[in-house]
Coordinates of all heavy atoms in Angstrom, one line a residue:
Chain L
P56 N -26.5 44.1 -17.9 CA -26.7 44.1 -19.3 C -28.0 43.5 -19.8 O -28.6 43.9 -20.8 CB -25.5 43.2 -19.8 CG -24.5 43.3 -18.7 CD -25.3 43.5 -17.4
S132 N -31.8 38.4 -10.7 CA -32.4 38.4 -9.4 C -32.7 39.8 -9.0 O -31.9 40.7 -9.1 CB -31.5 37.8 -8.3 OG -31.8 36.4 -8.1
N134 N -34.2 42.1 -5.5 CA -34.7 42.0 -4.1 C -35.7 43.1 -4.0 O -35.5 44.2 -4.5 CB -33.6 42.0 -3.1 CG -33.1 43.4 -2.7 OD1 -32.7 44.1 -3.6 ND2 -33.2 43.8 -1.5
H136 N -37.6 45.5 -1.5 CA -37.4 45.9 -0.1 C -38.3 47.1 0.1 O -37.9 48.3 -0.1 CB -35.9 46.3 0.1 CG -35.6 46.6 1.5 ND1 -34.3 47.0 1.9 CD2 -36.3 46.6 2.6 CE1 -34.3 47.2 3.2 NE2 -35.5 47.0 3.6
P137 N -39.6 46.9 0.5 CA -40.5 48.0 0.8 C -40.1 48.6 2.2 O -40.1 47.8 3.2 CB -41.9 47.4 0.8 CG -41.7 46.0 0.3 CD -40.3 45.6 0.5
L138 N -39.8 49.9 2.2 CA -39.2 50.5 3.5 C -40.4 50.9 4.3 O -40.6 52.1 4.5 CB -38.3 51.6 3.1 CG -37.1 51.2 2.3 CD1 -36.5 52.4 1.6 CD2 -36.0 50.5 3.1
A139 N -41.2 50.0 4.8 CA -42.4 50.3 5.6 C -42.0 50.8 7.0 O -41.0 50.4 7.5 CB -43.3 49.1 5.7
K140 N -42.8 51.7 7.5 CA -42.5 52.2 8.8 C -43.6 51.8 9.8 O -43.3 51.3 10.9 CB -42.5 53.8 8.8 CG -41.2 54.3 8.2 CD -40.9 55.7 8.7 CE -39.5 56.2 8.2 NZ -39.7 56.8 6.8
E144 N -41.8 45.6 8.0 CA -40.9 45.7 6.9 C -40.4 44.3 6.5 O -40.2 43.5 7.3 CB -39.7 46.6 7.3 CG -38.7 46.8 6.2 CD -37.5 47.7 6.7 OE1 -37.6 48.4 7.7 OE2 -36.5 47.7 6.0
N146 N -37.8 42.2 3.3 CA -36.8 42.4 2.3 C -36.5 41.0 1.7 O -35.9 40.2 2.4 CB -35.6 43.0 2.9 CG -34.4 43.2 1.9 OD1 -34.6 43.0 0.7 ND2 -33.3 43.6 2.4
K147 N -37.0 40.7 0.5 CA -36.9 39.4 0.0 C -36.3 39.4 -1.4 O -36.6 40.3 -2.2 CB -38.3 38.7 -0.1 CG -38.8 38.4 1.2 CD -40.2 37.8 1.0 CE -40.9 37.5 2.3 NZ -42.3 37.1 2.2
S148 N -35.5 38.4 -1.7 CA -34.9 38.3 -3.1 C -35.9 37.4 -3.9 O -36.6 36.6 -3.4 CB -33.6 37.7 -3.0 OG -32.6 38.6 -2.8
Q149 N -35.8 37.7 -5.2 CA -36.7 36.9 -6.1 C -35.8 36.5 -7.3 O -35.7 37.3 -8.2 CB -37.9 37.7 -6.5 CG -38.9 36.9 -7.2 CD -40.2 37.7 -7.4 OE1 -40.2 38.9 -7.6 NE2 -41.3 37.0 -7.3
P150 N -35.2 35.3 -7.3 CA -34.4 34.9 -8.4 C -35.4 34.7 -9.6 O -36.6 34.5 -9.5 CB -33.8 33.6 -8.0 CG -34.0 33.5 -6.5 CD -35.2 34.4 -6.2
P151 N -34.8 34.8 -10.9 CA -35.6 34.6 -12.0 C -36.3 33.2 -12.0 O -35.7 32.3 -11.6 CB -34.7 34.8 -13.2 CG -33.3 34.6 -12.6 CD -33.4 35.0 -11.2
G152 N -37.5 33.2 -12.5 CA -38.2 31.9 -12.6 C -38.8 31.4 -11.3 O -39.3 30.3 -11.3
T153 N -38.7 32.2 -10.2 CA -39.4 31.7 -9.0 C -40.8 32.2 -8.9 O -41.1 33.2 -9.6 CB -38.6 32.1 -7.8 OG1 -38.4 33.5 -7.8 CG2 -37.3 31.4 -7.7
P154 N -41.6 31.5 -8.1 CA -43.1 31.9 -8.0 C -43.2 33.3 -7.5 O -42.3 33.8 -6.8 CB -43.6 30.9 -7.1 CG -42.5 30.2 -6.4 CD -41.3 30.3 -7.3
P167 N -42.2 53.5 0.4 CA -41.3 53.5 -0.7 C -40.7 52.1 -0.9 O -40.5 51.3 0.0 CB -40.1 54.4 -0.2 CG -40.5 54.8 1.1 CD -41.7 54.1 1.6
K169 N -37.8 49.7 -2.8 CA -36.5 49.8 -3.6 C -35.9 48.4 -3.8 O -36.3 47.4 -3.2 CB -35.5 50.7 -2.9 CG -34.9 50.1 -1.6 CD -33.8 51.0 -1.1 CE -32.6 50.9 -2.0 NZ -31.7 52.0 -2.0
N171 N -32.3 46.8 -3.8 CA -30.9 47.1 -3.4 C -29.9 46.7 -4.5 O -28.9 47.4 -4.7 CB -30.5 46.4 -2.1 CG -31.3 46.9 -0.9 OD1 -32.4 46.4 -0.7 ND2 -30.7 47.9 -0.2
H177 N -36.9 52.3 -8.0 CA -37.7 52.9 -6.9 C -39.1 52.9 -7.3 O -39.5 53.3 -8.4 CB -37.2 54.3 -6.6 CG -36.2 54.3 -5.4 ND1 -36.5 54.9 -4.2 CD2 -35.0 53.8 -5.3 CE1 -35.5 54.8 -3.4 NE2 -34.6 54.1 -4.0
Chain E
P72 N -27.4 27.7 -10.8 CA -28.0 28.7 -9.9 C -29.5 28.8 -10.0 O -30.2 29.2 -9.1 CB -27.3 30.0 -10.4 CG -26.8 29.7 -11.8 CD -26.5 28.2 -11.8
N73 N -30.1 28.4 -11.2 CA -31.5 28.6 -11.3 C -32.3 27.3 -11.1 O -33.5 27.2 -11.3 CB -31.9 29.2 -12.7 CG -31.3 30.6 -12.8 OD1 -31.3 31.3 -11.9 ND2 -30.9 30.9 -14.0
R84 N -38.6 28.7 3.6 CA -39.6 29.1 2.7 C -39.1 30.4 2.0 O -39.3 30.7 0.8 CB -40.9 29.3 3.3 CG -42.1 29.3 2.4 CD -43.4 29.2 3.2 NE -43.4 30.3 4.3 CZ -43.8 31.5 4.0 NH1 -44.2 31.9 2.8 NH2 -43.9 32.4 5.0
V85 N -38.6 31.3 2.9 CA -38.2 32.6 2.4 C -36.8 32.5 1.6 O -36.7 33.1 0.6 CB -38.0 33.6 3.6 CG1 -37.6 34.9 3.1 CG2 -39.3 33.7 4.4
P88 N -37.5 30.2 -2.3 CA -38.9 30.1 -2.8 C -38.9 29.0 -3.9 O -38.1 29.2 -4.9 CB -39.2 31.5 -3.3 CG -37.9 32.1 -3.5 CD -37.0 31.5 -2.5
G89 N -39.8 28.1 -3.8 CA -39.9 27.0 -4.9 C -38.6 26.2 -5.0 O -38.4 25.6 -6.0
V91 N -35.6 27.3 -5.2 CA -34.4 28.0 -5.8 C -33.8 28.9 -4.7 O -34.5 29.7 -4.1 CB -34.9 28.8 -7.0 CG1 -33.7 29.5 -7.6 CG2 -35.5 27.9 -8.0
M92 N -32.5 28.7 -4.5 CA -31.8 29.5 -3.5 C -31.7 30.9 -3.8 O -31.3 31.3 -4.9 CB -30.5 28.9 -3.3 CG -29.8 29.2 -1.9 SD -28.1 28.6 -1.9 CE -28.4 26.8 -1.7
T93 N -32.1 31.8 -2.9 CA -31.9 33.2 -3.1 C -30.5 33.6 -2.8 O -29.8 32.9 -2.1 CB -32.8 34.1 -2.2 OG1 -32.5 33.8 -0.8 CG2 -34.3 33.8 -2.4
P94 N -30.0 34.7 -3.3 CA -28.6 35.2 -3.0 C -28.3 35.3 -1.5 O -27.3 34.9 -1.1 CB -28.5 36.5 -3.8 CG -29.5 36.5 -4.8 CD -30.6 35.7 -4.3
E95 N -29.3 35.8 -0.8 CA -29.1 36.0 0.6 C -29.0 34.7 1.4 O -28.3 34.6 2.3 CB -30.1 37.0 1.3 CG -31.5 36.5 1.2 CD -32.3 37.1 0.0 OE1 -31.6 37.3 -1.0 OE2 -33.5 37.3 0.2
D163 N -36.2 35.6 8.6 CA -35.4 36.0 7.4 C -34.0 35.3 7.5 O -33.1 35.7 6.8 CB -35.3 37.5 7.3 CG -34.6 38.2 8.5 OD1 -34.5 37.5 9.5 OD2 -34.3 39.4 8.4
P181 N -30.9 45.3 10.4 CA -31.6 44.7 9.3 C -31.7 45.6 8.1 O -32.0 45.1 7.0 CB -33.0 44.4 9.9 CG -33.2 45.2 11.1 CD -31.8 45.4 11.6
D182 N -31.5 46.9 8.2 CA -31.5 47.7 7.0 C -30.5 47.2 5.9 O -30.7 47.3 4.7 CB -31.0 49.1 7.3 CG -32.2 49.9 7.9 OD1 -33.3 49.4 8.0 OD2 -31.9 51.1 8.4
A183 N -29.4 46.6 6.4 CA -28.4 46.2 5.4 C -28.7 44.9 4.7 O -28.0 44.5 3.8 CB -27.0 46.0 6.1
G184 N -29.7 44.2 5.1 CA -30.1 43.0 4.4 C -30.8 42.0 5.3 O -30.7 42.1 6.5
P185 N -31.3 40.9 4.7 CA -32.0 39.9 5.5 C -31.0 39.2 6.3 O -29.8 39.1 6.0 CB -32.5 38.9 4.4 CG -32.5 39.6 3.1 CD -31.4 40.7 3.2
V275 N -27.9 53.4 4.5 CA -28.1 52.0 4.2 C -29.6 51.9 3.9 O -30.5 52.3 4.7 CB -27.8 51.1 5.4 CG1 -27.9 49.7 5.0 CG2 -26.3 51.4 5.9
S276 N -29.9 51.4 2.7 CA -31.3 51.2 2.2 C -32.0 52.5 2.4 O -33.1 52.6 3.0 CB -32.0 50.1 3.0 OG -31.7 48.9 2.4
D277 N -31.5 53.6 1.9 CA -32.1 54.9 1.9 C -32.2 55.5 3.3 O -32.9 56.6 3.5 CB -33.4 54.9 1.2 CG -33.4 54.7 -0.2 OD1 -32.2 54.6 -0.7 OD2 -34.4 54.6 -0.9
R278 N -31.7 54.9 4.3 CA -31.9 55.4 5.7 C -30.5 55.9 6.2 O -29.6 55.1 6.3 CB -32.5 54.4 6.6 CG -33.9 54.1 6.2 CD -34.5 53.1 7.3 NE -35.8 52.8 6.9 CZ -36.3 51.5 6.8 NH1 -35.5 50.5 7.1 NH2 -37.5 51.3 6.5
D504 N -18.8 38.5 -16.9 CA -18.4 37.9 -18.2 C -17.2 37.0 -18.1 O -17.2 35.9 -18.6 CB -18.2 39.0 -19.2 CG -19.3 40.0 -19.3 OD1 -20.4 39.6 -18.8 OD2 -19.1 41.1 -19.8

Side-chain angles (χ1 to χ4, degrees):
Chain L
S132 263
N134 80 304
H136 190 179
L138 301 159
K140 286 204 175 81
E144 182 179 342
N146 180 5
K147 288 178 185 173
S148 276
Q149 194 172 34
T153 51
K169 73 173 286 154
N171 293 85
H177 260 248
Chain E
N73 296 326
R84 201 171 52 83
V85 181
V91 181
M92 197 185 288
T93 60
E95 61 264 31
D163 63 350
D182 281 355
V275 184
S276 277
D277 293 356
R278 291 185 182 129
D504 308 342

